[in-house]
Amino acid sequence: MRNLMRAVVGLVGLFNIVLGLAFLLDPAQAVARFFLTPLGTQGLATVRADFTAFFVTGGVFALLGAWREETAPLRVPLSLLGIAIGGRVVSLVLDGAPNTAFPPISVEAGMIAVLLLASRTLLGAQGDETLGQNHARRPGLGSRHCGRIEGLYPAAFAGLDGAAH
């Protein structure tokens, strides 16, 4: 199961990197798939910079987590996708719910589910104590600081660092 999850997370990473590179290399075509229209050369530059950064960063950290069999790198794409889906929900509430809104939400929710399942699988398979060891060595990043964030969203962080919440 662990290797299957690593492979699926790797595919999520590659999917995001390919999307990011599409925004970098052919932004006019890539934005059309996302119902966007950049305004002039500065709009294209913004698409190249921002969309490439979002997708490539998430993809690289997903691949890193899969390759190293570590849960911590998976928090980067989980955070990015969580913020993205949150923005989509705000848009649904404020702007309405066209049929075109649901496929991207489904894809993002699917990737979030894969990454969360992979986090739990990798954690259970190897008893990942990496975060606990890092906290012990670097008290400034200890659980008392992270606990403030985790306390707000316990379900999202449950089981990711091996500690009982």
Side-chain angles (χ1 to χ4, degrees):
M1 180 69 162
R2 188 190 70 204
N3 285 332
L4 174 64
M5 288 313 302
R6 289 177 65 207
V8 174
V9 169
L11 290 174
V12 166
L14 289 174
F15 173 74
N16 281 280
I17 289 171
V18 167
L19 276 177
L21 292 177
F23 283 106
L24 179 66
L25 301 174
D26 191 3
Q29 179 69 17
V31 296
R33 288 184 230 125
F34 282 71
F35 305 101
L36 298 171
T37 305
L39 298 176
T41 56
Q42 190 56 45
L44 288 172
T46 299
V47 166
R48 280 190 168 111
D50 297 350
F51 283 77
T52 300
F54 177 89
F55 288 108
V56 171
T57 299
V60 165
F61 276 89
L63 285 177
L64 187 65
W67 180 259
R68 291 184 176 177
E69 297 184 53
E70 294 177 0
T71 59
L74 299 182
R75 290 182 182 193
V76 172
L78 279 167
S79 297
L80 291 169
L81 291 165
I83 292 168
I85 207 167
R88 290 191 189 278
V89 169
V90 168
S91 187
L92 286 174
V93 171
L94 298 178
D95 305 326
N99 291 337
T100 56
F102 297 103
I105 290 173
S106 299
V107 171
E108 290 160 358
M111 288 190 286
I112 288 170
V114 164
L115 293 168
L116 285 173
L117 181 60
S119 293
R120 290 189 174 273
T121 301
L122 292 175
L123 186 66
Q126 66 186 33
D128 189 351
E129 300 286 332
T130 305
L131 292 175
Q133 291 170 2
N134 286 342
H135 290 326
R137 283 183 279 166
R138 298 183 304 183
L141 296 175
S143 59
R144 76 179 169 92
H145 297 288
C146 295
R148 292 179 192 152
I149 295 170
E150 291 172 1
L152 296 174
Y153 306 101
F157 290 93
L160 291 181
D161 64 358
H165 295 283

